[in-house]
Amino acid sequence: MHRYRSHTCGALRDGDIGAVVRLSGWCHRIRDHGGVLFIDLRDHYGLTQVVADPDSPAFKVAETLRAEWVVRIDGKVRRRPGGTENADLPTGAVEVYISGIEVLGPAAELPMPVFGEQEYPEEIRLKYRFLDLRRERLHANIIKRGQIIDSIRRRMREGGFFEFQTPILTASSPEGARDFLVPSRLHPGKFYALPQAPQQFKQLTMIAGFDRYFQIAPCFRDEDARADRSPGEFYQLDVEMSFVTQDDVFGAVEPVMRGVFEEFAGGKPVTPKFPLIPYREALAKYGTDKPDLRNPIEMQDVSEHFRGAGFKLFAKILDANPKNRVWAIPAPGGGSRAFCDRMNSWAQGEGQPGLGYIFFVEEGGATLGRGPVANNVGPERTDKLRTQLGLKAGDAVFFVAGDPNVFVKFAGPARTKIGEDLNLIAKDQFAFCWIVDFPMYEWSEEEKKIDFSHNPFSMPNMEPDAFLALDGSDKDTILNLKAIQYDIVCNGIELSSGAIRNHRPDVMKKAFAIAGYSEDVLEAKFGGMLRALSLGAPPHGGIAPGIDRIVMLLCGEENLREVVLFPMNQRAEDLLMGAPSEVTAKQLRELHIRLALPEKS
RNA sequence: GGGGGCGUAGCUCAGUUGGUUAGAGCGCUAGCCUGUCACGCUAGAGGCCGCGGGUUCGAGUCCCGUCGCUCCCGCCA
């Protein structure tokens, strides 16, 4: 007999009846009836009911056991008495009659029970993460995470990709997120940085003549957390390919994403062919570059109906600036004054002056618009509006007006709110799309200059010679430039971002010059990259889907902490290990570091 | 850095208009209980009402400050 177990707690079936077995596990639940005592013994594999009664030599010990003690029990498998089988357990046909017990690991009183599904404060859950992980749901999520990553690896290998490892200690990069810095002992005053992503390394791997790179890569960014953004560290499925166009990247990655989702979605439908939505169109229809396509609402430009019309507020806005627009957010089924008023006060809560609306009613065989907007623009224009939007009695429409670049930040959430409140969102599915044609540059209001909109390594979407001939001071043209840059979005969550890279040094220099970076800066920050590009670089591109977000979606969780084994809290603290922590004076001395702490006020 | 929500027993929460001794369920301890699987029954222990200050005859409750957790904005190429 093995020292600890002959079977796992999920193994025994009626075929094992009569066998003498040894099980080890945690006392999940103890039910003491005085004369007979039941313990649900739990391990990674399942639950088995073990039983003792006063005839058992182990009864005295059994009575002393408490929840979450780790024990080894010996006993004989027997059929449960008729009518007491538990169909909810795979082992529910049998039980083990205990003949011996050894306590392997007693437990003090628990700060949070493992049994049951009650909610507990994050602080306690994180401090006692190992207890939380014993609970069924979290345990299952972590297992599923591993299975998903296995599946991704298999699919990538089958697609001809090869897994690489890139450095964790690297150089600080000037763009993007804040770096985590690591002081160098050997080089006083100098620092390594943890990679924000293996971006440059994967490009260098392509330039080094490899092809079809992938890695389940840890990424480190010293930025604040969100529910769907872990503080500090997270994992990406990092992908890069040589001699490819955008279509080739999509052709390689889309089947992997779809396959993984179909495998783990538990029967929920997955978009069979991801639609391509240009960035501009996404903003115009959905008010965001990460649309939730489960929400059927699409916005439309209805400016023409309001030009010179009786609704003075909108007419004036349209006259004030040729860029201004009025957009309509249709609300099928929202055609009641109560709903429209509720949306209006919601908008005011969001810091808006209000939310114009029309709702449609059936009256005397005609469909009529109601509400202040309808009254002011008149029945004819109201009906044209209704026809353009394809609405009927019982529906409503809301309006946002002004500079679309400004109001889009409100229109997107309004569309979401309407969809949710009217129950229009088809919850049980995974709705994917590609967002393409991102702008290359954007206007930085903070720095009052043109800056890269996303990745400075992306290739502009135009012929290199034409790009090289651009006038960098032609602001309108520059801001309209597109990059070969794309995102995968699923259910309103940005799953990944990628690009065809800029592999030409001359185009790279020009691209940085437009964003106001001198060649010196480019050389200082990306000298290695530039040298690599000038010594025979293949055209290449890739993408980097976020592993944690994929797992979160597939586990049906709203927060990344539910799918990460040992997550930090929102303030980037590890409450279990006590990180970050102070270090000794000796450690600091070796690193040539003296602290200059902020004064406490 | 800014905004919202929350903070009462180990945990989940209730606590009326400011009123006398702050409650319930789960958990814990003890006792009873031979077929439970959220076992049941009885009793008990357990409270700096986050912390500090203020208003008041009187504060868990009202006000100010502060700390913690969380969600969001900024930020995240």
Side-chain angles (χ1 to χ4, degrees):
Chain A
M1 188 73 84
H2 183 268
R3 171 72 178 81
Y4 295 117
R5 62 186 176 194
S6 63
H7 296 74
T8 69
C9 295
L12 298 175
R13 298 291 185 272
D14 47 11
D16 299 298
I17 287 166
V20 173
V21 300
R22 177 171 285 180
L23 300 178
S24 282
W26 287 261
C27 296
H28 186 62
R29 194 79 179 149
I30 298 168
R31 295 175 295 279
D32 185 350
H33 290 236
V36 62
L37 185 150
F38 302 97
I39 300 169
D40 293 332
L41 199 65
R42 184 195 74 237
D43 66 10
H44 175 70
Y45 306 93
L47 279 179
T48 299
Q49 176 167 282
V50 300
V51 192
D53 64 25
D55 297 335
S56 164
F59 189 70
K60 277 274 177 287
V61 184
E63 281 186 313
T64 67
L65 299 182
R66 291 293 176 268
E68 295 308 305
W69 286 31
V70 179
V71 298
R72 188 213 79 207
I73 70 109
D74 288 344
K76 199 170 191 177
V77 183
R78 68 188 193 192
R79 185 181 302 282
R80 291 202 192 183
T84 67
E85 301 87 355
N86 187 343
D88 295 335
L89 289 181
T91 62
V94 301
E95 62 191 14
V96 176
Y97 182 72
I98 307 172
S99 57
I101 295 179
E102 179 189 1
V103 176
L104 302 172
E109 190 182 339
L110 302 168
M112 56 175 283
V114 172
F115 173 80
E117 285 179 9
Q118 205 176 356
E119 288 186 39
Y120 291 88
E122 287 291 330
E123 200 173 355
I124 290 180
R125 293 184 60 195
L126 292 172
K127 186 171 176 186
Y128 299 96
R129 186 66 170 177
F130 49 89
L131 286 180
D132 204 14
L133 286 164
R134 286 181 198 167
R135 307 179 87 197
E136 194 173 350
R137 176 161 142 188
L138 212 44
H139 206 85
N141 283 354
I142 297 301
I143 296 296
K144 192 164 182 176
R145 181 189 176 101
Q147 291 168 336
I148 289 168
I149 289 175
D150 277 353
S151 173
I152 289 173
R153 280 216 166 86
R154 176 174 57 77
R155 290 168 194 276
M156 291 304 289
R157 279 198 307 273
E158 284 169 359
F161 287 87
F162 192 77
E163 189 163 8
F164 293 78
Q165 291 78 46
T166 53
I168 300 299
L169 291 177
T170 179
S172 178
S173 74
E175 290 281 324
R178 293 184 192 93
D179 285 314
F180 279 103
L181 298 176
V182 181
S184 164
R185 176 178 58 84
L186 295 174
H187 301 277
K190 293 187 176 177
F191 293 80
Y192 302 93
L194 306 183
Q196 296 178 19
Q199 178 66 34
Q200 293 190 64
F201 287 115
K202 69 175 174 178
Q203 291 192 239
L204 289 165
T205 305
M206 294 302 97
I207 295 167
F210 296 97
D211 200 348
R212 293 175 98 81
Y213 150 105
F214 90 97
Q215 180 179 196
I216 309 288
C219 304
F220 305 91
R221 295 177 191 173
D222 188 3
E223 294 293 347
D224 291 351
R226 288 284 182 282
D228 64 352
R229 202 168 77 210
S230 295
E233 57 186 60
F234 58 97
Y235 283 83
Q236 285 182 343
L237 166 59
D238 202 38
V239 178
E240 198 75 3
M241 313 158 73
S242 284
F243 307 109
V244 288
T245 63
Q246 173 173 292
D247 283 348
D248 295 320
V249 176
F250 290 9
V253 172
E254 185 174 320
V256 173
M257 298 293 288
R258 183 168 48 241
V260 167
F261 270 75
E262 281 171 346
E263 182 177 351
F264 293 97
K268 293 182 188 175
V270 179
T271 310
K273 171 77 188 145
F274 301 0
L276 268 54
I277 305 174
Y279 173 82
R280 280 270 141 223
E281 183 184 327
L283 290 188
K285 280 187 174 173
Y286 312 108
T288 171
D289 61 0
K290 35 186 180 180
D292 186 347
L293 295 181
R294 295 174 303 170
N295 181 345
I297 296 174
E298 292 187 6
M299 300 189 293
Q300 292 191 33
D301 188 328
V302 292
S303 306
E304 292 318 310
H305 301 292
F306 287 100
R307 261 183 228 290
F311 191 57
K312 292 285 186 296
L313 181 65
F314 284 5
K316 271 185 199 159
I317 287 173
L318 290 168
D319 283 344
N321 188 325
K323 284 184 182 166
N324 284 354
R325 294 285 182 275
V326 178
W327 286 5
I329 315 173
S336 72
R337 191 174 296 276
F339 177 72
C340 292
D341 283 347
R342 204 159 67 234
M343 281 303 299
N344 188 55
S345 26
W346 172 80
Q348 286 166 347
E350 297 287 298
Q352 300 294 316
L355 188 57
Y357 60 83
I358 298 175
F359 64 96
F360 298 98
V361 295
E362 184 86 34
E363 203 175 282
T367 304
L368 301 177
R370 288 273 191 262
V373 177
N375 295 341
N376 281 300
V377 300
E380 194 177 322
R381 285 178 186 249
T382 297
D383 206 58
K384 280 189 180 158
L385 252 169
R386 188 184 62 76
T387 311
Q388 180 188 332
L389 297 168
L391 296 174
K392 55 185 187 338
D395 298 340
V397 54
F398 296 89
F399 302 101
V400 287
D403 178 354
N405 290 322
V406 176
F407 72 58
V408 73
K409 289 192 180 76
F410 166 70
R415 169 185 174 268
T416 302
K417 169 87 178 157
I418 293 166
E420 282 173 353
D421 284 13
L422 294 176
N423 231 347
L424 300 175
I425 295 171
K427 285 245 158 39
D428 286 332
Q429 57 169 292
F430 292 103
F432 279 89
C433 61
W434 293 96
I435 306 295
V436 297
D437 293 340
F438 278 85
M440 179 90 183
Y441 296 101
E442 66 188 10
W443 181 252
S444 166
E445 205 47 54
E446 240 171 76
E447 300 174 64
K448 302 288 179 204
K449 74 175 194 71
I450 286 171
D451 207 348
F452 289 107
S453 174
H454 284 82
N455 190 326
F457 299 117
S458 300
M459 187 69 109
N461 193 1
M462 65 193 301
E463 285 304 313
D465 289 345
F467 182 79
L468 291 170
L470 282 173
D471 175 4
S473 64
D474 181 356
K475 196 174 138 190
D476 282 344
T477 304
I478 296 298
L479 289 176
N480 274 317
L481 287 181
K482 292 174 176 109
I484 310 181
Q485 159 109 33
Y486 35 81
D487 280 1
I488 296 178
V489 172
C490 177
N491 292 0
I493 291 180
E494 181 189 318
L495 278 190
S496 65
S497 177
I500 297 298
R501 319 299 174 190
N502 186 346
H503 74 284
R504 286 183 44 158
D506 51 350
V507 176
M508 177 83 85
K509 285 174 190 167
K510 173 82 177 183
F512 274 78
I514 289 174
Y517 298 100
S518 71
E519 218 162 296
D520 294 352
V521 174
L522 181 55
E523 176 61 38
K525 299 300 184 185
F526 300 108
M529 195 68 198
L530 215 50
R531 268 196 304 289
L533 293 179
S534 62
L535 292 170
H540 61 286
I543 195 164
I547 295 283
D548 308 87
R549 285 184 183 177
I550 292 172
V551 177
M552 182 173 101
L553 277 173
L554 287 171
C555 287
E557 297 288 358
E558 301 278 324
N559 195 299
L560 285 172
R561 285 189 295 267
E562 306 300 324
V563 298
V564 173
L565 196 51
F566 294 107
M568 295 195 282
N569 68 6
Q570 183 157 359
R571 295 179 50 197
E573 296 165 315
D574 180 338
L575 298 177
L576 177 55
M577 303 301 287
S581 61
E582 292 175 346
V583 297
T584 64
K586 178 165 179 283
Q587 285 173 299
L588 288 175
R589 240 182 350 261
E590 282 185 339
L591 295 167
H592 324 286
I593 284 180
R594 187 173 299 144
L595 300 179
L597 300 176
E599 283 180 39
K600 280 181 187 159
S601 49

